[in-house]
C-alpha cells in the first residue's frame, strides 16, 4: 500500500512529509495515507482507515455533507478547502483544516482525490484569549462548591470539578472525562440519571430535583440537584450540565465540603472560552465578589433572578445597591452581609444555607439555597468569595401546596366521616320508622280484609230488613258498589306501601340498590295512574298537563316508577307554589337509542351552584325534604338501565329528563 501511494505521488517519500495527507477514490473510499495522518486521527495502523469511507469513521454524522463536497470536486475538477470537526479518542473535539484537489494517475487511468489537513484546534480555541483569563475561570470553576459536571448527549463526561472526581475515587477530573455514569460507583443509579437527563434535553427546561448517588466509599447520599441543557454558542443543546449539593447531613457536609474545596487542584484542560460557556450555562446563580462585597463578575442566571437585563448591570454593585433598587428589607440586607463577612473573616465556607426570601425585579418573593466559599491569594489570605445560589422558590411553594392539600384531605376525611355517621343515623331512623309503619298498616290490612269478608252479609241483611219493612236509612245500589270497590283500592294501596317499605328496609341493609324484577311497562299508563292516585288539591290538579302521544314501553317496575313520579310531582308543586307562578308539563319523546320522559315545571328554577348537587344523598333545599327523594330516583332509573338528569335556569324553569333503553 505504501508503494502504491508513492506511485500515485510520483515516487515522493510521503513518510518524510510532516503534514497529514491521504488519497480517496471517486467512491469516497480511503486508498492510502501517510503516518502523520494516522497520528492526527490517533489511529494505530493503516488498516484502521484504508478501505473505509467517512460513513464508517467517527465523523460519520457529517458523511452526507462531505460526499456532496467531494462529488463537486470530481465533477468540476476544482479544489476545495473546508473545516471538519471530529472527536478524539479521549472525547475532546478536534478541528481540522482540509484542502482537497483532484489528481490523475495515468498508470491507473483514474482520478483520485488528494487531501492534506492541519490540526487548527488550538488556533480556533485560543484565538483572542489570554492565558491569564484561562487561569481566572479555571480557578473559579474548580473552587465552586458542590459537584459540577457536564456531559454530552450520550451521557459521556466532558468535564467536571474536583468534587465529582473525589466522590468517584479519582485523583483528577481528567480521569473521568470520556466515561459515563455506568462506569462510576453510582452505576446502580445510572438508569434513573439517564432518564432525567434525556427529559431535560428534550424539553430544554432546567429542573431542580433530588437524586441519590453511591460514592466510592460505599456511602449513598442524597443530593439537591439543579440540571439544565448545555448549549453551544449557536444555542443548540449539546448535552447536560448539573450542580449537585449534598443535603444528607448539612453539618457533616459543611466540614467535608470545606476540606475538599481547600484541597481542590487548580488545573483544567478546558479552554477559557469553554469555561466561560460552562459558567454561563450553569442553572444556578454564580457570582464572584471582593472583600468589600462588590460584584466582580456573575453569570446571566443571577441577572435573570434579580430582574436585570444583563449580568453587566450587576457588576460593580453591592448588596446595599441592590437593596435600594429592588426595595429589599433591611433584615434581608443584614442577613446577606453577615454571611459573607463571616466567610471572609473565618476563611470557612458556608455551605447549603437557606437565605432569607427577597424580592426580585417584579416584586415576587424568591427563596434561595446558597453556598459561599472563600478564595485565597498567594499569601493564603482571603481576598474574595465565590457563591452559588439555587432558586428553591418552586420547591418551597410545592411544600406549601402539599401542606394545604394535607389540610384539605383531613377536612374531606372529617366530612366523609360525618356523612357516614349521618348515613348510619338515617338508616337507623328509617328502619325504625319503617317498622313502626308496618304495625298499623298490617292492622288496617287485617281490618279491611275482615270488613270486606263481612260486607256481603251486611248488604244481605240490609236487603232482608228492607223487605221486612224495617225502617232503615236509604243506601243506593251505586253507593254499595262504590264501598265494595273501595276495599280493592285500599288493599292495592296497602300492598304498594308494604312493597315500598320492604324495599326501603332491604336497601337500608344492602350496599347497593335492590329493586323488583323487571317487567314490560307502559309509560302512559303509569303516568296516568300516578296522576290519578296523587292527593292533589283542586287547584294543584289544574297545574298538571300531560301529553303522552309518543307513549312507549320500557323494562322496569311500575310500582317503583310511580314513586319516582310522586317525588317529581311533590317537588314541582313545592317550587311552583314558592314562586307563585308556573305550570307542570309532562311529555314523551322517542330518540335513536333511548326513549325519554320529560317532566318540566316553570316555577322557581334551580341556582347554578346548587344544580350539580341535587342528586347527592342528604342534599335538600326544601323545608320538608330529607335529601333522599332525588337520590332514590337516580338509583331506580339506574336499575332500569337508564338515567335521570336535570336542566334548569334559575327563575325560569326546571326540567327532568328520564331516559329508558329501548326494548329490542
Amino acid at each position: 500500500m505504501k508503494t502504491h501511494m508513492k506511485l500515485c505521488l510520483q515516487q515522493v517519500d510521503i513518510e518524510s512529509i510532516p503534514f497529514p495527507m491521504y488519497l480517496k477514490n471517486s467512491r469516497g473510499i480511503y486508498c492510502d495515507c501517510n503516518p502523520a495522518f494516522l497520528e492526527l486521527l490517533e489511529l494505530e495502523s493503516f488498516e484502521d482507515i484504508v478501505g473505509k469511507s467517512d460513513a464508517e469513521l467517527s465523523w460519520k454524522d457529517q458523511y452526507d455533507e462531505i460526499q456532496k463536497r467531494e462529488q463537486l470536486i470530481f465533477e468540476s475538477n476544482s479544489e476545495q478547502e473546508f473545516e471538519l470537526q471530529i472527536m478524539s479518542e479521549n472525547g475532546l473535539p478536534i478541528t481540522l483544516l482540509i484542502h482537497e484537489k483532484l489528481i490523475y494517475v495515468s498508470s491507473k487511468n483514474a482520478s483520485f482525490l488528494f487531501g492534506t489537513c492541519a490540526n487548527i484546534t488550538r488556533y480556533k480555541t485560543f484565538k483572542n484569549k489570554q492565558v491569564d483569563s484561562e487561569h481566572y475561570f479555571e480557578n473559579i470553576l474548580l473552587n465552586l462548591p458542590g459537584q459540577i459536571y457536564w456531559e454530552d448527549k450520550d451521557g459521556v463526561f466532558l468535564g467536571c470539578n474536583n468534587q465529582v472526581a473525589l466522590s468517584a475515587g479519582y485523583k483528577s477530573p481528567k480521569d473521568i472525562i470520556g466515561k459515563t455514569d455506568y462506569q462510576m460507583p453510582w452505576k446502580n443509579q445510572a438508569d434513573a440519571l439517564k432518564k432525567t437527563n434525556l427529559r431535560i434535553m428534550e424539553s430544554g427546561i432546567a429542573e431542580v430535583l433530588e437524586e441519590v448517588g453511591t460514592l466510592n466509599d460505599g456511602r449513598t447520599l442524597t443530593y439537591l440537584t439543579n440540571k439544565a441543557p448545555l448549549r453551544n454558542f449557536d444555542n443548540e443543546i449539546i448535552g447536560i450540565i448539573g450542580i449537585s449539593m449534598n443535603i444528607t447531613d448539612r453539618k457533616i457536609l459543611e466540614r467535608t465540603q470545606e476540606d475538599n474545596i481547600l484541597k481542590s487542584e487548580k488545573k483544567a484542560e478546558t479552554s477559557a472560552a469553554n469555561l466561560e460557556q460552562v459558567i454561563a450555562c450553569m442553572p444556578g446563580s454564580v457570582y464572584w465578589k471582593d472583600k468589600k462585597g462588590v460584584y466582580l463578575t456573575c453569570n446571566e442566571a443571577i441577572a435573570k433572578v434579580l430582574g436585570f437585563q444583563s449580568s453587566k448591570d450587576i457588576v460593580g454593585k453591592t448588596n446595599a445597591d441592590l437593596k435600594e433598587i429592588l426595595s429589599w428589607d433591611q433584615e434581608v440586607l443584614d442577613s446577606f452581609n453577615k454571611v459573607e463577612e463571616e466567610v471572609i473573616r473565618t476563611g470557612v465556607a458556608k455551605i447549603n444555607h437557606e437565605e432569607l426570601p427577597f424580592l426580585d425585579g417584579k416584586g415576587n418573593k424568591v427563596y434561595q439555597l446558597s453556598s459561599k466559599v472563600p478564595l485565597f491569594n498567594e499569601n493564603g489570605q482571603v481576598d474574595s468569595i465565590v457563591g452559588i445560589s439555587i432558586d428553591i422558590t418552586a420547591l418551597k411553594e410545592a411544600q406549601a401546596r402539599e401542606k394545604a392539600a394535607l389540610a384539605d384531605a383531613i377536612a374531606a376525611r372529617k366530612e366523609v366521616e360525618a356523612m357516614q355517621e349521618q348515613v348510619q343515623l338515617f338508616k337507623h331512623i328509617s328502619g325504625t320508622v319503617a317498622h313502626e309503619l308496618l304495625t298499623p298498616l298490617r292492622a288496617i290490612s287485617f281490618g279491611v280484609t275482615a270488613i270486606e269478608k263481612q260486607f256481603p252479609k251486611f248488604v244481605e241483611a240490609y236487603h232482608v230488613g228492607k223487605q221486612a219493612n224495617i225502617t232503615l236509612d236509604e243506601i243506593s245500589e251505586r253507593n254499595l258498589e262504590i264501598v265494595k270497590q273501595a276495599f280493592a283500592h285500599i288493599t292495592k294501596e296497602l300492598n304498594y306501601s308494604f312493597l315500598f317499605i320492604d324495599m326501603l328496609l332491604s336497601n337500608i341493609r344492602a350496599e347497593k340498590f335492590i329493586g323488583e324484577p323487571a317487567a314490560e311497562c307502559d309509560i302512559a299508563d303509569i303516568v296516568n295512574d300516578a296522576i290519578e292516585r296523587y292527593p292533589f288539591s283542586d287547584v294543584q290538579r289544574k297545574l298538571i298537563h300531560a301529553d303522552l302521544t309518543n307513549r312507549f314501553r320500557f323494562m322496569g317496575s311500575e310500582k317503583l316508577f310511580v314513586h319516582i313520579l310522586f317525588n317529581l310531582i311533590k317537588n314541582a308543586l313545592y317550587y311552583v307554589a314558592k314562586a307563585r307562578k308556573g305550570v307542570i308539563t309532562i311529555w314523551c319523546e322517542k330518540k335513536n337509542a333511548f326513549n325519554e320522559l320529560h317532566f318540566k315545571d316553570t316555577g322557581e328554577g334551580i341556582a347554578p351552584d346548587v344544580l350539580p348537587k341535587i342528586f347527592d344523598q342528604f342534599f335538600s333545599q326544601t323545608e320538608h325534604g330529607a335529601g333522599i327523594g332525588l337520590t332514590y330516583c337516580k338509583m331506580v332509573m339506574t336499575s332500569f338501565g337508564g338515567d335521570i338528569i336535570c336542566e334548569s335556569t334559575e327563575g325560569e324553569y326546571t326540567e327532568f329528563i328520564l331516559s329508558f333503553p329501548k326494548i329490542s
Side-chain angles (χ1 to χ4, degrees):
M1 188 64 68
K2 294 180 182 178
T3 303
H4 170 65
M5 184 69 169
K6 290 179 180 179
L7 287 173
C8 293
L9 300 178
Q10 301 179 352
Q11 304 299 329
V12 175
D13 185 5
I14 64 172
E15 293 188 5
S16 64
I17 298 176
F19 56 86
M21 52 194 301
Y22 58 88
L23 201 67
K24 298 169 72 173
N25 63 20
S26 59
R27 291 182 293 110
I29 303 299
Y30 284 90
C31 300
D32 208 345
C33 65
N34 67 346
F37 188 68
L38 294 178
E39 181 180 357
L40 174 65
L41 299 182
E42 299 180 359
L43 300 176
E44 295 183 358
S45 65
F46 291 95
E47 286 73 13
D48 292 335
I49 190 168
V50 173
K52 297 181 179 179
S53 69
D54 292 300
E56 302 172 81
L57 301 172
S58 62
W59 52 89
K60 58 186 177 183
D61 56 329
Q62 303 180 62
Y63 173 72
D64 292 338
E65 184 180 347
I66 294 173
Q67 278 292 97
K68 290 179 181 178
R69 186 182 291 111
E70 294 181 349
Q71 188 63 35
L72 180 63
I73 294 174
F74 274 100
E75 291 175 355
S76 62
N77 192 21
S78 60
E79 299 183 24
Q80 284 204 19
E81 186 173 276
F82 59 92
E83 291 183 8
L84 176 67
Q85 189 173 63
I86 64 175
M87 297 298 292
S88 68
E89 289 298 311
N90 61 6
L92 294 176
I94 297 176
T95 302
L96 302 179
L97 181 63
I98 296 177
H99 186 93
E100 292 182 339
K101 64 179 295 185
L102 204 63
I103 63 173
Y104 179 73
V105 181
S106 58
S107 61
K108 296 295 183 179
N109 193 27
S111 294
F112 291 85
L113 196 68
F114 175 70
T116 62
C117 56
N119 185 349
I120 62 170
T121 305
R122 184 175 298 275
Y123 168 77
K124 295 287 289 186
T125 303
F126 290 99
K127 183 174 62 174
N128 298 326
K129 297 295 179 179
Q130 298 294 328
V131 175
D132 290 342
S133 64
E134 179 177 349
H135 288 270
Y136 156 68
F137 287 113
E138 177 183 340
N139 186 40
I140 290 179
L141 183 62
L142 287 176
N143 284 279
L144 286 175
Q147 297 192 350
I148 305 168
Y149 44 90
W150 52 102
E151 306 173 1
D152 66 13
K153 286 187 175 182
D154 297 322
V156 177
F157 280 96
L158 301 176
C160 65
N161 69 346
N162 289 330
Q163 296 300 325
V164 179
L166 291 173
S167 66
Y170 294 101
K171 294 181 179 180
S172 168
K174 292 188 296 183
D175 299 327
I176 288 184
I177 293 174
K179 294 182 171 60
T180 68
D181 289 316
Y182 290 95
Q183 298 168 279
M184 297 295 144
W186 50 86
K187 58 187 178 183
N188 290 336
Q189 294 91 28
D191 287 340
L193 296 173
K194 180 179 180 182
K195 183 178 179 181
T196 298
N197 294 347
L198 289 174
R199 182 178 67 249
I200 293 173
M201 287 189 288
E202 289 174 1
S203 68
I205 300 173
E207 291 186 17
V208 178
L209 67 159
E210 287 188 4
E211 294 179 327
V212 295
T214 302
L215 304 189
N216 187 52
D217 59 9
R219 290 181 299 143
T220 298
L221 304 181
T222 302
Y223 294 90
L224 180 64
T225 298
N226 196 331
K227 287 185 175 180
L230 180 63
R231 300 176 184 270
N232 59 20
F233 288 104
D234 295 326
N235 203 34
E236 299 170 334
I237 296 176
I238 59 173
I240 198 84
I241 181 170
I243 302 174
S244 297
M245 292 188 178
N246 181 4
I247 58 173
T248 307
D249 189 331
R250 290 190 180 181
K251 290 185 179 180
I252 296 176
L253 178 63
E254 183 173 352
R255 294 193 296 269
T256 57
Q257 194 83 345
E258 177 187 358
D259 293 339
N260 290 336
I261 293 174
L262 294 175
K263 295 177 182 178
S264 295
E265 296 181 13
K266 297 180 181 180
K267 294 181 180 179
E269 294 183 355
T270 310
S271 68
N274 286 340
L275 287 168
E276 185 177 1
Q277 183 69 6
V278 167
I279 293 174
C281 290
M282 285 180 182
S285 299
V286 181
Y287 43 91
W288 179 28
K289 306 174 75 173
D290 66 14
K291 291 178 65 174
K292 296 181 180 180
V294 177
Y295 283 90
L296 301 177
T297 189
C298 62
N299 65 351
E300 295 300 324
I302 187 173
K304 183 177 180 181
V305 169
L306 296 178
F308 288 95
Q309 292 292 326
S310 168
S311 59
K312 296 178 181 178
D313 298 329
I314 299 176
V315 173
K317 292 182 173 61
T318 64
N319 290 335
D321 297 327
L322 298 180
K323 171 185 178 298
E324 297 301 321
I325 296 172
L326 301 175
S327 302
W328 289 350
D329 293 336
Q330 184 64 38
E331 183 183 8
V332 173
L333 174 63
D334 293 342
S335 174
F336 287 166
N337 290 341
K338 181 180 178 180
V339 172
E340 294 173 4
E341 289 168 1
E342 181 182 347
V343 172
I344 293 173
R345 178 174 53 81
T346 62
V348 178
K350 189 75 173 178
I351 306 298
N352 291 347
H353 70 282
E354 188 174 319
E355 306 268 20
L356 287 180
F358 60 89
L359 299 180
D360 63 12
K362 297 181 180 179
N364 299 318
K365 189 174 288 188
V366 178
Y367 294 84
Q368 286 192 333
L369 188 67
S370 297
S371 293
K372 297 177 181 180
V373 181
L375 289 181
F376 299 87
N377 59 22
E378 296 177 354
N379 300 322
Q381 297 175 333
V382 177
D383 63 357
S384 58
I385 61 171
V386 172
I388 292 181
S389 297
I390 295 177
D391 188 346
I392 59 171
T393 306
L395 184 62
K396 298 288 286 187
E397 291 175 349
Q399 291 172 345
R401 288 195 297 271
E402 288 178 2
K403 186 177 180 180
L406 179 60
D408 292 342
I410 293 173
R413 180 177 178 181
K414 290 181 179 179
E415 185 177 345
V416 170
E417 290 174 349
M419 179 67 74
Q420 290 174 341
E421 291 179 3
Q422 189 177 2
V423 170
Q424 293 302 320
L425 178 60
F426 178 77
K427 286 184 176 181
H428 175 72
I429 294 174
S430 299
T432 302
V433 172
H435 282 297
E436 292 298 324
L437 285 174
L438 282 174
T439 300
L441 286 176
R442 288 196 180 101
I444 294 172
S445 178
F446 292 148
V448 170
T449 302
I451 294 172
E452 185 180 16
K453 288 182 179 179
Q454 299 300 321
F455 184 70
K457 296 178 181 180
F458 168 76
V459 174
E460 183 181 356
Y462 173 76
H463 287 303
V464 170
K466 293 292 285 184
Q467 291 174 1
N469 295 320
I470 297 174
T471 302
L472 297 171
D473 291 337
E474 187 69 27
I475 303 175
S476 67
E477 291 297 325
R478 181 175 177 275
N479 287 337
L480 289 174
E481 184 62 29
I482 290 173
V483 173
K484 183 177 179 181
Q485 291 176 359
F487 291 128
H489 181 71
I490 293 171
T491 300
K492 179 181 178 182
E493 292 298 330
L494 284 171
N495 288 336
Y496 271 122
S497 300
F498 287 140
L499 173 65
F500 185 76
I501 292 172
D502 285 342
M503 283 192 299
L504 175 62
L505 290 173
S506 297
N507 283 291
I508 287 173
R509 303 186 191 102
E511 292 296 326
K512 63 180 182 179
F513 180 76
I514 300 175
E516 272 197 317
E520 191 170 331
C521 306
D522 186 281
I523 192 72
D525 291 344
I526 299 176
V527 172
N528 289 328
D529 183 48
I531 294 174
E532 184 66 28
R533 289 171 54 194
Y534 193 87
F536 294 106
S537 67
D538 291 339
V539 174
Q540 289 175 334
R541 180 60 184 86
K542 294 178 181 179
L543 299 174
I544 302 290
H545 303 279
D547 179 5
L548 306 174
T549 305
N550 294 320
R551 65 195 298 166
F552 55 84
R553 302 184 69 80
F554 67 94
M555 296 300 295
S557 166
E558 176 183 347
K559 297 173 183 177
L560 295 180
F561 190 62
V562 165
H563 284 286
I564 290 180
L565 294 172
F566 284 171
N567 267 296
L568 297 180
I569 291 171
K570 177 186 68 175
N571 289 342
L573 290 173
Y574 172 82
Y575 285 109
V576 167
K578 186 176 179 182
R580 296 184 179 181
K581 72 175 184 72
V583 295
I584 300 170
T585 308
I586 305 172
W587 73 93
C588 299
E589 290 185 7
K590 294 181 178 180
K591 299 295 180 67
N592 291 333
F594 288 84
N595 293 320
E596 294 178 349
L597 178 70
H598 292 252
F599 192 102
K600 179 178 181 179
D601 73 77
T602 53
E604 188 178 54
I606 303 175
D609 60 321
V610 174
L611 187 60
K613 307 175 184 177
I614 62 172
F615 293 106
D616 293 349
Q617 196 172 34
F618 304 125
F619 180 81
S620 176
Q621 292 284 290
T622 65
E623 298 175 357
H624 63 271
I628 59 173
L630 289 178
T631 303
Y632 166 83
C633 295
K634 192 77 167 180
M635 289 192 297
V636 172
M637 288 304 299
T638 302
S639 73
F640 291 172
D643 197 7
I644 177 172
I645 61 173
C646 181
E647 299 175 353
S648 181
T649 299
E650 188 174 13
E652 295 184 15
Y653 75 93
T654 298
E655 181 177 349
F656 288 92
I657 304 172
L658 294 79
S659 57
F660 303 80
K662 288 192 172 183
I663 299 176
S664 302

